[in-house]
Amino acid sequence: MAEFQHSVSLDAQKCIGCTSCLRQCPTEAIRVRDGHAVIRSELCIDCGRCVRVCQHKAKRAVFDSLSDIDPKYKWRIALPAPALYGQFDELADIGELLQGLLELGFDDVYEVARSAEIISECTRRYMRKPNILKPVISSACPAIVRLIRIRFPELCDHVLPILPPVEYASRAAKASALQKYPTLMPEEICTVFISPCPAKTSYAKNGLSQTKSSIDYVISISDVYKQLSGKFGKGREFTMRSKAGIAGVKWASSGGEVEGLYLDRYLAADDMDNAIQVLDAIENGKLPALEFVELNACPGGCVGGAATVENPYIARSRLLSFRRGLPNYRNYLHLEDKEPDYIPPDAMVDNPIKDYVPPERFSEDRFEAMRMMAQMDEIYERLPQIDCGSCGAPTCRTFAEDVVKGECRMEDCIVLLKRHLQAQKEGAEK
Amino acid sequence: MSALHFHFEIDGMDFSSAGDASVAVKKKLRQLGFPSDVIRRCSIAMYEGEINMVIHADGGTADVMVYPDKVVMVLEDHGPGIPDVELAMKEGYSTSTEQIRNMGFGAGMGLPNMKRYTDSLEIETQVGVGTKLTMVVSV
Ligand SMILES: Nc1ncnc2c1ncn2[C@@H]1O[C@H](COP(=O)(O)OP(=O)(O)OP(=O)(O)O)[C@@H](O)[C@H]1O
Ligand code: SF4
Ligand SMILES: [Mg+2]
């Protein structure tokens, strides 16, 4: 498989080598080397937490911008994430926002919330299947899906083998454009996802397993926010209407997905630490009674994504106010004549997520790995064990690992060095 | 090659950290590159043993010896001991209190699961003295 393309990157000029992101990284993927943070590609899950905590704005989520869109595309379809709806204070109707997107230069808009409703319908059908591994884990948050692959490989088979709503939306948007405008060629149409997070950008760039994504560009919610804020609520005319129902819009915040499944025994957890604890519990067989688990990497769900603008709770409250006027569902598959657990093949993930390469493994040779770990424990015992971070590793334990791997030297531990110097000085004085 | 040895103190008062040793072992085994099913079996067995020590025996110690071809877990406590091991091994048998059950434990599945997921489970126990479990998971 080709090298994984990440969408969190570092601006070395802005990074002052402080340690605020170090310990926040849920996979311990960050080190500070030569005064700058370095992200380890194989461990990074693009969750964007470091982007959120960096006070120097040195961690950046990589997105496309509107000007990146190739002129060869004659028909540009915006795919707004439902989290976008919660960003604007003055917005009274989602239609007004969709109209705003057209004014930015899009030819059409296809709401991801619409596909979320379809995915909910498919998931309800999936849950009726016999012999599925439970709890089923949502596939919507790509940071979680990648975390599972890296740290919880045994749980890969629990991940819902159904497309995330944004992928379904991209395919549906292209198909419906071709149908509506028969003169368009497929290669003239592009989809542009308006995303709450870098994780979704990585998803669009890398796809899932061997499944390539049909999303062509990903721009950030904050970028669109900058261009549209202040434009709404002035009694402007708009003809666009939202085609999504409550159930789809709800997906923007944690718990929205499970609510649409009408199950009795489910769990929704948000924020990385909580998600990791839940996954540990599932792996230990501790949640056998649950049918479905929704996990979101960001606090509050996608409304808390690293590329959003508004506080997640405020955004959520705005979404609630839109929801009042909407019907629950507006998008259906119309499968009444099919078996209750039938799922259209085009909604399924072509290849189940399973290719386990343990990125944390010290060595391919187990004897060598064991030797390294023994050495690591020895080194750890000699360290101050205060996890100060000044060596550039998040914890003394990771520092010991780095020493064994030859990435840094004992002398990089400043605390230890100071103790040595002190001892030397005292020795000299005596 | 000699084994790697990891030692954990399991605090009997602290429900919130129950399971931490299991998570730590899981991480070590991943770093050592053990197959994921071995990791999972060790992690489940370790977790159940750990929880039992917290709930039934006021804590204890866990020692994990990792060999290239097997993982040996020894859990030892100075709790009340198990009067009837055969009975305790039965699925669904539990002496857990209502309060413990309300916390989501006490289904009586811990020991049976430890047996199921390991290649061998040995129980040495004496009422009023304590319990020592030795579990082996082979690669
Ligand atoms: N370390 C121990 N010390 C004393 N008694 C124990 C110990 N471990 C288990 N037992 C006894 O054996 C019984 C069965 O243990 P088991 O782990 O199978 O079930 P449980 O802990 O009661 O419930 P579950 O593990 O499903 O939460 C316990 O209820 C308890 O009486
Ligand atoms: S929770 Fe939503 S916004 Fe956050 S990483 Fe996952 S998909 Fe992106
Ligand atoms: Mg038990």
Side-chain angles (χ1 to χ4, degrees), chain B residues 52 56 81-95 107-115 121 123 125 131 133:
Chain B
N52 275 0
H56 307 295
I82 306 173
D84 186 340
V85 174
E86 209 179 314
L87 189 60
M89 289 301 300
K90 288 223 165 77
E91 289 195 8
Y93 175 79
S94 172
T95 58
M109 290 304 293
L111 285 170
N113 273 338
M114 287 152 84
K115 175 132 194 89
L121 164 66
I123 306 178
T125 181
T131 303
L133 293 184

Side-chain angles (χ1 to χ4, degrees), chain A residues 113-155:
Chain A
R114 294 178 62 185
S115 301
E117 291 171 36
I118 300 291
I119 296 306
S120 290
E121 185 176 345
C122 293
T123 311
R124 287 195 297 272
R125 292 177 160 271
Y126 181 75
M127 296 308 290
R128 292 184 196 123
K129 286 191 185 294
N131 308 325
I132 52 172
L133 275 177
K134 289 187 184 168
V136 173
I137 305 172
S138 161
S139 62
C141 174
I144 296 289
V145 172
R146 222 172 117 69
L147 175 77
I148 292 173
R149 287 171 98 184
I150 288 180
R151 257 183 82 168
F152 301 92
E154 283 294 312
L155 297 181

Side-chain angles (χ1 to χ4, degrees), chain A residues 259-428:
Chain A
E259 276 177 48
L261 301 179
Y262 311 132
L263 299 168
D264 295 325
R265 288 168 285 123
Y266 62 82
L267 174 158
D270 56 304
D271 215 349
M272 216 39 155
D273 297 336
N274 294 327
I276 290 173
Q277 281 175 18
V278 169
L279 290 168
D280 273 322
I282 299 175
E283 202 169 57
N284 285 337
K286 262 297 144 188
L287 302 170
L290 290 180
E291 295 171 280
F292 194 91
V293 170
E294 173 189 335
L295 299 173
N296 287 287
C298 297
C302 295
V303 282
T308 60
V309 180
E310 192 50 275
N311 169 288
Y313 296 93
I314 299 177
R316 189 185 141 92
S317 124
R318 289 197 191 124
L319 291 174
L320 285 168
S321 75
F322 288 129
R323 276 155 50 169
R324 235 174 275 133
L326 297 177
N328 216 351
Y329 281 91
R330 284 164 139 185
N331 299 275
Y332 302 93
L333 283 173
H334 305 292
L335 300 172
E336 290 74 18
D337 56 330
K338 293 276 197 293
E339 293 293 307
D341 64 354
Y342 170 84
I343 301 170
D346 62 358
M348 302 286 291
V349 175
D350 321 5
N351 291 295
I353 316 150
K354 190 139 198 181
D355 42 2
Y356 177 50
V357 194
E360 291 165 300
R361 189 173 60 180
F362 286 169
S363 162
E364 275 175 45
D365 174 7
R366 191 166 312 138
F367 286 91
E368 172 65 6
M370 286 181 67
R371 193 194 57 73
M372 286 168 79
M373 186 169 288
Q375 207 185 340
M376 190 193 107
D377 282 348
E378 231 169 77
I379 291 172
Y380 178 71
E381 288 309 317
R382 282 154 59 200
L383 294 175
Q385 304 180 8
I386 54 172
D387 298 345
C388 72
S390 45
C391 58
T395 60
C396 291
R397 206 165 270 293
T398 41
F399 175 72
E401 275 171 45
D402 292 351
V403 173
V404 172
K405 289 179 188 158
E407 287 167 21
C408 45
R409 295 165 307 146
M410 261 337 236
E411 297 81 76
D412 294 324
C413 174
I414 294 168
V415 181
L416 214 58
L417 193 69
K418 191 174 156 208
R419 279 188 201 162
H420 276 308
L421 292 176
Q422 196 81 33
Q424 267 179 8
K425 198 172 135 212
E426 275 161 23

